[in-house]
Amino acid sequence: MEGRLREVHAALDACRACPDMIGPVVHGPPVVSSIFLVGQAPGPREGSFGRPFAWTAGKTLFRWFESAFGADEETVRARIYMAAVARCFPGKAKGGGDRKPDPEEIDRCRAFLEREVQILRPKLLLPVGTLAITQVMGEATPLAEIVGRQLRLRYHGVEMDMIALPHPSGASTWHRTEPGRSLLEKALRLIARHPEIRATFGTGR
Ligand code: SF4
């Protein structure tokens, strides 16, 4: 399984399909895991670190996980497979902040996600942020309607549980104000109690 993930990563590393995207391609290691996290896209710093969630949003995300089930950043990186809707930095938006990947870019990058899901056949899916949640749900879904719930769904043909998280970006206030703050706490409790998290991080005993 790890070898097949490495093949996908080699194809990702060679991909230059999106003319407006800024390289390098960013992906995590080929972690064989039953837990599959989908982010939005790397920011401007992730490329130089060569790994997803390497800057401020990542610090928040890993703090959430540590508070929920006690695993530190490196342990989470070693045990959860980290993917994203797009694997290159989209550049800055005209109005400030990072540009969101456009529908054509998302479509092009979806082929990699599909291959990763087919290889790993995960049991728990963690989409992070509105864009990833929209891709997973197949339609725009307000955060307040999805964060704090656990759903059973099919993603790229594989049936799995899904627990959504808001984007941990410092630019977002959703998770720091109500009802976002309480819904985030609820989502993190659901994640901490999930059998795949308990088995993966040894918190089930
Ligand atoms: S975003 Fe995805 S499809 Fe587009 S160039 Fe980067 S790796 Fe390739």
Side-chain angles (χ1 to χ4, degrees):
M1 227 185 263
E2 188 181 319
R4 291 172 68 203
L5 288 174
R6 285 189 193 284
E7 286 172 16
V8 178
H9 290 179
L12 268 168
D13 290 337
C15 185
R16 304 286 182 273
C18 301
D20 295 333
M21 284 289 192
I22 300 168
V25 174
V26 177
H27 57 74
V31 175
V32 175
S33 176
S34 62
I35 306 166
F36 194 96
L37 184 146
V38 189
Q40 177 171 306
R45 307 275 193 155
E46 272 71 14
S48 58
F49 286 96
R51 58 188 195 170
F53 286 107
W55 201 241
T56 48
K59 284 191 175 51
T60 301
L61 180 69
F62 291 115
R63 187 162 37 78
W64 290 349
F65 286 150
E66 184 149 20
S67 71
F69 51 88
D72 64 16
E73 175 176 340
E74 293 313 318
T75 305
V76 170
R77 285 187 185 279
R79 299 186 191 176
I80 292 182
Y81 189 83
M82 301 184 82
V85 172
R87 312 303 171 93
C88 298
F89 173 48
K92 289 290 176 188
K94 284 197 181 80
D98 295 348
R99 180 176 71 82
K100 286 198 170 139
D102 67 30
E104 290 79 25
E105 292 165 339
I106 292 170
D107 272 355
R108 284 185 207 112
C109 225
R110 183 177 291 123
F112 297 108
L113 266 175
E114 191 171 354
R115 284 173 68 186
E116 291 162 314
V117 170
Q118 292 294 329
I119 292 166
L120 288 167
R121 306 192 71 79
K123 296 197 168 81
L124 175 61
L125 177 65
L126 304 174
V128 178
T130 306
L131 190 73
I133 292 168
T134 300
Q135 296 307 308
V136 164
M137 296 295 291
E139 60 184 0
T141 310
L143 287 175
E145 286 179 18
I146 195 75
V147 175
R149 295 169 60 201
Q150 178 175 318
L151 302 185
R152 188 93 182 140
L153 49 69
R154 285 185 85 77
Y155 182 54
H156 293 305
V158 179
E159 196 175 333
M160 60 188 85
D161 293 334
M162 190 279 292
I163 303 172
L165 287 171
H167 201 282
S169 158
S172 167
T173 56
W174 190 87
H175 57 84
R176 288 184 266 126
T177 51
E178 293 298 348
R181 191 201 319 245
S182 298
L183 290 173
L184 169 61
E185 281 173 15
K186 205 170 161 194
L188 291 172
R189 278 199 300 275
L190 286 171
I191 290 173
R193 285 183 201 144
H194 194 279
E196 293 306 317
I197 292 285
R198 290 159 72 100
T200 300
F201 293 94
T203 53
R205 291 185 291 277

